[in-house]
Amino acid sequence: MLASNGRLKIAIQKGGRLTDDSLALLRACGFDFEFQKRSLYSPCRNFELDILALRDDDIPEYVQDGVADLGIVGENIVRERSAKVKKLLPLGYGKCRLTISVPRGANVRSIAGLKRKRIATTYPATLSHFLRSRQIKAEIITLSGAVELAPSLDVADAICDVVSTGTTARLSGLREIHTVMESEAALFTGRKTASDPKKMQLIESILIRISGSLQARGRRYMMLNAPSASVPKLKRIIPSLKSPTVVPLADEGMVAVHSVIAEDVFWDVMEKLKKAGASDIIVVPIETIIR
Ligand code: ATP
Ligand code: MG
């Protein structure tokens, strides 16, 4: 039994595709904890927050019922469990698609060809809702895993499963014919928590921290030295350098330019910056950006 000690509880996946990114996000928010995969919960030392480690399938219900105040889980799982939870923030990782695929040689080109076929899935509720919305009558075969093997075992004619790159499906000799939904990991809360002002105050401050570290993701802080005359040229090379911080250096006519840039842009423009007169270019990671 979990003590209801007024501390906030956030549920994350115990061990799976979302675990590392969820832990990294919480640590980037400054929460100090030791994550014990085998113990149900890990308390934060520097914040009134406990981290619950659960199977991802159970997270939507626990958040809905207020057992956990917050939960990080894929939108696909929330939809499948039809949980009454509120999405607070998409988190940008765990991106995948729930797709319908058929064996490469099958004579099915679109979802209309699925009529009276057998479709294997671990997402029966989402699939059934989708088929009903398209008025397609098909048989749903509910499996608990390894769905991509069902056609070759002649258990099904098609499958409905989550993919990210589609490599696994292709290797199993399958061809995608339709995307049922797109999904990513997101932060959810429930109704019970929303009616507790003390908890909502803690959630507000967690949201500021999470948004800050999401903003910083993929961005770098760049510092460089250049002759002051080349600043307009530098601005043309990096469009995001609209209003960089320009500081005079002790050397007459030289300035230091500071700005936030996207990581991928930096590698594209580095040579151009040097040609335009930039030197001593330093790029450092950003932990958080609070707007
Ligand atoms: P658990 O033991 O917690 O029930 P699981 O095996 O059901 O774990 P994982 O395979 O770890 O779940 O996937 C967790 C979530 O990661 C998925 O529900 C989905 O939101 C997301 N995801 C991202 N890419 C993929 C992918 N290629 N295949 C499956 N899920 C993916
Ligand atoms: Mg699961």
Side-chain angles (χ1 to χ4, degrees), residues 32 39 63 71 178 228 231-232 254 260 263 284:
D32 176 21
S39 79
V63 171
H178 195 83
S228 47
V231 170
M254 288 293 286
V260 173
E263 177 175 34
V284 292

Side-chain angles (χ1 to χ4, degrees), residues 113-226:
L114 293 171
K115 276 192 186 114
R116 291 182 298 280
K117 300 277 194 234
R118 301 162 300 166
I119 312 172
T121 189
T122 56
Y123 292 85
T126 310
L127 177 59
S128 152
H129 184 267
F130 171 76
L131 293 173
R132 244 180 296 130
S133 74
R134 301 299 177 102
Q135 295 175 328
I136 294 168
K137 286 215 165 70
E139 186 187 346
I140 296 176
I141 315 275
T142 305
L143 300 178
S144 58
V147 169
E148 68 282 0
L149 301 180
S152 55
L153 297 172
D154 197 24
V155 175
D157 309 298
I159 70 163
C160 174
D161 202 8
V162 273
V163 300
S164 45
T165 57
T167 313
T168 318
R170 269 196 302 281
L171 288 177
S172 310
L174 298 165
R175 170 169 53 85
E176 277 179 35
I177 57 165
H178 195 83
T179 295
V180 175
M181 77 173 285
E182 301 203 341
S183 172
E184 68 184 284
L187 180 73
F188 294 91
T189 190
R191 212 188 301 157
K192 217 169 175 180
T193 303
S195 63
D196 182 332
K198 185 187 167 223
K199 284 188 165 172
M200 284 314 287
Q201 213 176 344
L202 288 173
I203 289 178
E204 276 306 314
S205 70
I206 290 178
L207 283 177
I208 291 172
R209 292 180 187 214
I210 295 183
S211 319
S213 71
L214 293 180
Q215 289 278 347
R217 194 176 287 169
R219 298 190 199 198
R220 296 288 182 267
Y221 194 77
M222 182 182 67
M223 297 165 264
L224 56 84
N225 294 342

Side-chain angles (χ1 to χ4, degrees), residues 81-93:
R81 314 298 292 201
S82 17
K84 290 192 181 56
V85 292
K86 184 177 163 213
K87 181 158 87 182
L88 295 175
L89 267 184
L91 300 174
Y93 58 87

Side-chain angles (χ1 to χ4, degrees), residues 27 32-37 39 41-45 51:
R27 294 202 201 281
D32 176 21
F33 57 91
E34 260 164 62
F35 183 66
Q36 306 285 1
K37 208 174 143 183
S39 79
Y41 79 120
S42 318
C44 285
R45 297 188 188 95
I51 297 159

Side-chain angles (χ1 to χ4, degrees), residues 13 55-58 77 81 123 144:
Q13 191 186 18
R55 288 283 310 274
D56 69 344
D57 315 66
D58 298 333
I77 302 291
R81 314 298 292 201
Y123 292 85
S144 58

